Amino acid sequence: MEYLFLLVLVLSLWTGSQSESVNHKLFKTGSDDFLISLSTDGTYNISVKGKQWLSSAPTYFNSDNKTFSAADGSLKLLESSASSGTDKIGDWQSQTYLYQTVDSLAVKITANIKIYKDLPIIIFQQIFNDGANWTQGENYEDICGGFPGFKMEGQSGNLGYMSFGGLMVGDTNKHFGQWYNGTSQINEGIAGGPLAWFDIDGHTIVFSPFNNFMSASFSHDKDVGGYYYGGVMGGVYSIPAGHHQDFILYYGVGVNKAFEHWGKTLRKFYGKTLTEQKKDFTITHLGYWTDNGAYYYYNTETGETYEQTMYDVKNYADKVKIPFRYIQYDSWWYYQGVGRGVKTWRSRPDVFPDGFKNVTQTLKLPAAAHNRYWASDTTYAKQNGGKYDFIVEKYKALPVTKQFWVDLFTEAKQWGLILYEQDWLNVEFSGLQALLHDLDLGTQWLTQMAEAASESGIYIQYCMANPRHTMQSLLYPAVTQIRVSNDYNPGGDQWKIGISSILASALGLAPYKDTFWTTEKQPGNIYNRTEPNWKLNAVVSTLSTGPVGPSDMVGATNVSMLMKCCREDGVILKPQYPIRAIDAQIIGEAFPYSGGPGGEVWVSYTQFSSLKFANILALNIGQGYSYTLHPKDTGIYSFKEGNGDLYAVPYDEPYGWVQFSNLYGIDITGVFTPSRIALYHVSQAIPGWFMTTIFGELDKWAPMSPQRVVSVSWTNDTVTAPLIGAPKETFNFWYLLGSKLDAVTCQLSINGTVMFKMDRDLGIATCQ
């Protein structure tokens, strides 16, 4: 796209005198619809589709425990200048504002705005030319200065927002609303996260930090009519000269699409790929979990040790042919100290009398192991007689040397660790004063952990992560997965991951729903609860693309239902792209009368060549809502399909298939009960073939999975799809050929392969 400036930038010097005129310059980004107007007085406005969305709030910075603001003149604008260049994102033009505090120190700070030529991106940079000391003191929920800042103004109904915040990727405190006054619930401080603005048509801007994720924060100032700022975390005592904190605005059409492309930009910039995620054994294979919500969470078989209980689990699984390929061990196995933090991360003899290594070797299953925050009495710290450098405070401690992590993982590798679950990330961060006041300590902590894990061949799952931890994972190939909802609680709604999965997957992390039961009643459980939503939990877990880890008591697993998630060898059959809430659901949260579903409507999909195969899950559609889903609502099918291009089939009624088009939608009014879920599989027609498509293995939650289907190709006469799986595995593979729905029984060879083939002339399909 040609890079057009509506007004040419010129280098200029501006003294701030009121007698001089203010110059306004309008810039176009890589999208014609996303513009920013910059002024030589330091103000800026952002418009979308010709309408002003955002206007700037006064820039301010803190130094020497004082606040200096452009609003009252205590922060003086010395000059405004323009420049251009190229970086890893692309070609840019920028406007730079040089400020100085009006006091005896006369500290200089630069505010820079970069506009990119070929992408709909604007980056705001705070540059502390001279550094700053005692920038905020104890108020770590505030920020050390605000730039960029945006006024909360406009009229109700014009602009909506989605604000991530809290734990589990910002899921637990997420908010939706309309951006027009200072009372809106926008997340801020150390638990705040990315923010998205959108209109009723789905035009979206995503706002987030672009670097220094562990020390970046947001502030929502309600007292002045509503300002929202980005800046450096407020508790930081000092900022070195030259330090810069960047924030990004990314524009896209569609909330999901905007987040996807925002995430791709960040992943490309930081080199985060999905390569390691695809290698993580705990993501690709079925496991057994013992964390909170599990039957054996701080609970064993009557009169038995945990060691014998784990043997019982494995023996039962072998008996009924459940292919568990690893076991997760939660916080019950190691030594705990002050505040139930970690004292020593080694197995206790009362838990594993024969030792952890003997357990994994006897079971012949590798381990995923939980860890929490370090207690102040941890035996690893030099302060307590250990050998490693730690920061030790009243209740918590933090290792500050990479060698600690190297030694910890080296030892754990010997007893079978393949996944390290770092839980309680938010509690470690907010509970250790050193992390709140040091600009770089949070980054150092997570970097040392991740680098040691990579060197040891161990993967990491983040749990109870704030958005800052989530974004920091962009720097670490070893961090492959993240919890996206609160702890599992039988009978609860912890399965609601449709929103948080948008953020997690955009950043290259496999969303993990947590464990679940596969049957309703499991006598003797410590929660005194039942699980009526056992089927729903299994579906969500599988379609999340994260780990699948049930946690039933011995003898209580619904084996046939559980096996819908995987092959006979335990490889999980999952979609290529994780299940996420559709745009209409998100927009409806901010604009209740927008015609949204009034409940949860999520979509995942897999693509083979030009064909897309989707899974649609509809949940909890509200009373009084009538909603019909069409292909255009999914965010997947962008072409203008005619009748017959797409076909949808209910997961439990293969012969109930219907055409799925903009004329013939799916009525999802009033769906979802504990005994029946609304799950539809959508297949795209073979180009040039009349009413012909592949539905796949409809006995599975993800019928067209890359773990079963290698590819789909076609000519004028035939359609072929190589299939893979466990040696000699047998399954039914469904197809529609010239309006005739049928299934062919496929048996894989000793090598775990077979070829599915449809022949147009013969009107048949075979597996051979």
Side-chain angles (χ1 to χ4, degrees):
M1 184 183 295
E2 181 182 358
Y3 189 29
L4 174 66
F5 284 95
L6 302 182
L7 291 174
V8 179
L9 281 176
V10 242
L11 292 173
S12 62
L13 183 67
W14 184 69
T15 63
S17 169
Q18 292 184 355
S19 63
E20 296 188 34
S21 62
V22 176
N23 294 321
H24 301 275
K25 303 168 185 179
L26 188 63
F27 294 84
K28 188 185 74 170
T29 68
S31 169
D32 293 338
D33 296 331
F34 186 39
L35 306 176
I36 182 169
S37 173
L38 303 177
S39 302
T40 50
D41 65 354
T43 59
Y44 42 92
N45 298 292
I46 293 171
S47 62
V48 172
K49 299 285 289 185
K51 295 181 180 180
Q52 181 172 308
W53 275 26
L54 303 168
S55 60
S56 59
T59 298
Y60 74 92
F61 290 100
N62 298 330
S63 181
D64 196 30
N65 208 27
K66 300 175 184 176
T67 298
F68 301 89
S69 174
D72 60 14
S74 58
L75 184 67
K76 182 180 181 181
L77 180 58
L78 298 180
E79 64 180 57
S80 173
S81 60
S83 61
S84 62
T86 302
D87 59 20
K88 287 198 293 185
I89 298 177
D91 296 334
W92 53 264
Q93 293 276 349
S94 75
Q95 190 80 4
T96 300
Y97 304 100
L98 179 62
Y99 290 96
Q100 181 176 285
T101 60
V102 180
D103 68 343
S104 59
L105 295 178
V107 174
K108 289 186 174 64
I109 299 130
T110 296
N112 188 42
I113 302 176
K114 298 169 73 175
I115 304 99
Y116 284 82
K117 170 184 176 181
D118 296 320
L119 289 169
I121 294 173
I122 302 170
I123 289 183
F124 295 82
Q125 295 181 306
Q126 306 176 10
I127 305 172
F128 293 81
N129 305 50
D130 301 325
N133 292 315
W134 195 253
T135 48
Q136 191 61 31
E138 299 298 327
N139 192 0
Y140 56 79
E141 289 293 352
D142 207 335
I143 54 178
C144 296
F147 178 80
F150 303 104
K151 296 177 182 178
M152 298 185 66
E153 58 186 2
Q155 296 181 349
S156 174
N158 287 345
L159 198 61
Y161 70 82
M162 175 170 64
S163 174
F164 287 97
L167 319 182
M168 309 305 184
V169 197
D171 175 70
T172 60
N173 201 39
K174 62 183 181 292
H175 293 295
F176 303 83
Q178 294 179 21
W179 182 268
Y180 67 95
N181 62 49
T183 62
S184 299
Q185 290 183 293
I186 313 292
N187 288 295
E188 59 181 333
I190 62 172
L195 172 72
W197 296 282
F198 48 83
D199 64 14
I200 203 167
D201 296 317
H203 301 100
T204 303
I205 297 175
V206 180
F207 177 40
S208 80
F210 192 71
N211 71 338
N212 298 316
F213 305 112
M214 290 301 290
S215 57
S217 273
F218 299 97
S219 174
H220 180 198
D221 189 342
K222 300 177 183 178
D223 296 334
V224 291
Y227 292 164
Y228 192 70
Y229 288 101
V232 175
M233 181 174 62
V236 172
Y237 285 142
S238 64
I239 299 174
H243 178 81
H244 67 97
Q245 177 61 58
D246 301 351
F247 292 87
I248 182 174
L249 293 186
Y250 194 103
Y251 168 75
V253 181
V255 182
N256 274 278
K257 289 298 182 185
F259 270 96
E260 283 180 17
H261 293 295
W262 162 82
K264 286 180 181 178
T265 299
L266 286 160
R267 294 194 334 251
K268 180 180 179 181
F269 190 85
Y270 288 100
K272 179 89 171 193
T273 69
L274 301 182
T275 301
E276 296 305 312
Q277 186 184 125
K278 294 175 181 178
K279 295 179 182 177
D280 185 342
F281 195 78
T282 65
I283 293 176
T284 59
H285 290 74
L286 181 67
Y288 182 84
W289 284 64
T290 67
D291 58 337
N292 193 12
Y295 189 88
Y296 297 116
Y297 178 70
Y298 287 89
N299 183 37
T300 64
E301 291 282 88
T302 303
E304 293 183 358
T305 64
Y306 252 118
E307 182 172 322
Q308 186 57 51
T309 299
M310 294 299 98
Y311 295 156
D312 293 346
V313 168
K314 178 62 162 58
N315 289 336
Y316 168 68
D318 290 345
K319 179 180 178 181
V320 297
K321 298 183 179 179
I322 302 174
F324 290 133
R325 302 297 300 278
Y326 69 94
I327 293 181
Q328 183 268 358
Y329 302 86
D330 213 73
S331 56
W332 43 261
W333 66 272
Y334 50 75
Y335 293 90
Q336 298 177 19
V338 172
R340 296 194 67 189
V342 186
K343 185 171 185 178
T344 308
W345 203 59
R346 290 188 180 133
S347 61
R348 307 194 318 266
D350 60 315
V351 174
F352 294 151
D354 298 319
F356 211 146
K357 183 176 181 179
N358 183 74
V359 171
T360 57
Q361 289 182 341
T362 301
L363 293 171
K364 297 181 180 178
L365 294 176
H370 174 280
N371 203 2
R372 56 175 67 182
Y373 47 88
W374 300 100
S376 58
D377 60 347
T378 177
T379 58
Y380 298 108
K382 288 181 178 178
Q383 294 90 326
N384 301 320
K387 59 182 289 190
Y388 302 100
D389 292 327
F390 268 69
I391 294 172
V392 177
E393 296 182 1
K394 185 175 181 180
Y395 298 109
K396 295 179 177 62
L398 187 79
V400 291
T401 173
K402 179 181 171 181
Q403 192 60 47
F404 164 76
W405 294 104
V406 171
D407 293 348
L408 190 78
F409 290 148
T410 298
E411 179 180 315
K413 191 78 172 178
Q414 293 174 358
W415 47 256
L417 184 71
I418 59 172
L419 177 72
Y420 174 76
E421 179 191 353
Q422 182 59 72
D423 200 356
W424 298 85
L425 280 162
N426 70 312
V427 172
E428 178 83 336
F429 186 74
S430 64
L432 201 79
Q433 291 297 301
L435 283 168
L436 297 174
H437 296 309
D438 190 293
L439 188 67
D440 301 314
L441 185 60
T443 299
Q444 175 186 309
W445 161 44
L446 296 183
T447 299
Q448 290 176 348
M449 180 198 306
E451 288 180 349
S454 286
E455 293 168 10
S456 302
I458 291 170
Y459 292 109
I460 296 175
Q461 179 190 104
Y462 279 176
C463 188
M464 293 178 70
N466 296 129
R468 67 182 61 245
H469 305 99
T470 308
M471 296 199 68
Q472 184 67 25
S473 72
L474 284 162
L475 281 67
Y476 311 134
V479 183
T480 56
Q481 53 183 278
I482 195 164
R483 273 276 301 280
V484 290
S485 59
N486 240 327
D487 286 357
Y488 174 64
N489 189 8
D493 63 356
Q494 178 270 349
W495 45 264
K496 289 186 177 181
I497 67 169
I499 301 295
S500 52
S501 291
I502 294 172
L503 181 55
S505 60
L507 295 172
L509 297 168
Y512 179 44
K513 186 211 76 72
D514 202 10
T515 190
F516 59 95
W517 294 358
T518 67
T519 52
E520 182 173 2
K521 298 178 180 179
Q522 306 212 6
N525 72 81
I526 62 175
Y527 318 99
N528 194 30
R529 296 177 67 93
T530 60
E531 179 51 277
N533 300 326
W534 44 271
K535 187 184 297 183
L536 172 61
N537 277 280
V539 172
V540 172
S541 188
T542 303
L543 299 183
S544 74
T545 72
V548 178
S551 54
D552 299 310
M553 67 179 291
V554 170
T557 300
N558 183 332
V559 180
S560 60
M561 192 277 294
L562 176 61
M563 290 302 294
K564 288 178 176 290
C565 81
C566 65
R567 306 184 326 201
E568 288 182 0
D569 56 4
V571 172
I572 301 169
L573 297 170
K574 60 181 65 182
Q576 185 179 7
Y577 296 96
I579 197 159
R580 291 160 289 182
I582 64 171
D583 284 0
Q585 176 185 329
I586 299 167
I587 294 170
E589 293 282 357
F591 303 107
Y593 304 104
S594 62
E600 314 277 338
V601 180
W602 307 345
V603 177
S604 64
Y605 73 100
T606 298
Q607 184 165 346
F608 298 105
S609 186
S610 62
L611 304 180
K612 295 178 180 178
F613 300 86
N615 309 288
I616 298 171
L617 186 62
L619 311 165
N620 286 355
I621 305 303
Q623 291 291 331
Y625 278 85
S626 178
Y627 189 74
T628 301
L629 183 76
H630 296 94
K632 60 182 176 60
D633 303 318
T634 65
I636 297 173
Y637 301 105
S638 59
F639 62 91
K640 296 180 180 179
E641 64 277 3
N643 294 344
D645 285 334
L646 298 171
Y647 307 95
V649 56
Y651 84 98
D652 55 350
E653 298 177 19
Y655 292 101
W657 66 273
V658 294
Q659 292 183 1
F660 182 48
S661 71
N662 288 333
L663 293 177
Y664 302 101
I666 298 174
D667 182 8
I668 58 175
T669 303
V671 299
F672 174 59
T673 64
S675 60
R676 175 176 168 79
I677 59 174
L679 175 64
Y680 297 86
H681 304 302
V682 178
S683 291
Q684 192 169 347
I686 305 298
W689 288 51
F690 173 71
M691 296 190 73
T692 297
T693 190
I694 300 174
F695 280 125
E697 195 176 356
L698 290 177
D699 290 333
K700 303 297 185 182
W701 301 127
M704 291 294 289
S705 164
Q707 291 76 34
R708 177 70 81 200
V709 181
V710 177
S711 62
V712 178
S713 58
W714 58 91
T715 67
N716 291 333
D717 304 312
T718 61
V719 178
T720 56
L723 309 179
I724 56 175
K728 296 294 184 179
E729 187 175 4
T730 302
F731 51 88
N732 290 328
F733 204 73
W734 291 79
Y735 62 94
L736 183 69
L737 178 54
S739 78
K740 178 185 177 183
L741 180 72
D742 207 345
V744 59
T745 300
C746 301
Q747 183 176 43
L748 303 183
S749 69
I750 192 65
N751 296 320
T753 61
V754 75
M755 180 66 74
F756 170 81
K757 182 179 180 180
M758 284 195 293
D759 189 295
R760 169 182 276 182
D761 293 336
L762 297 177
I764 60 172
T766 58
C767 260
Q768 55 190 13

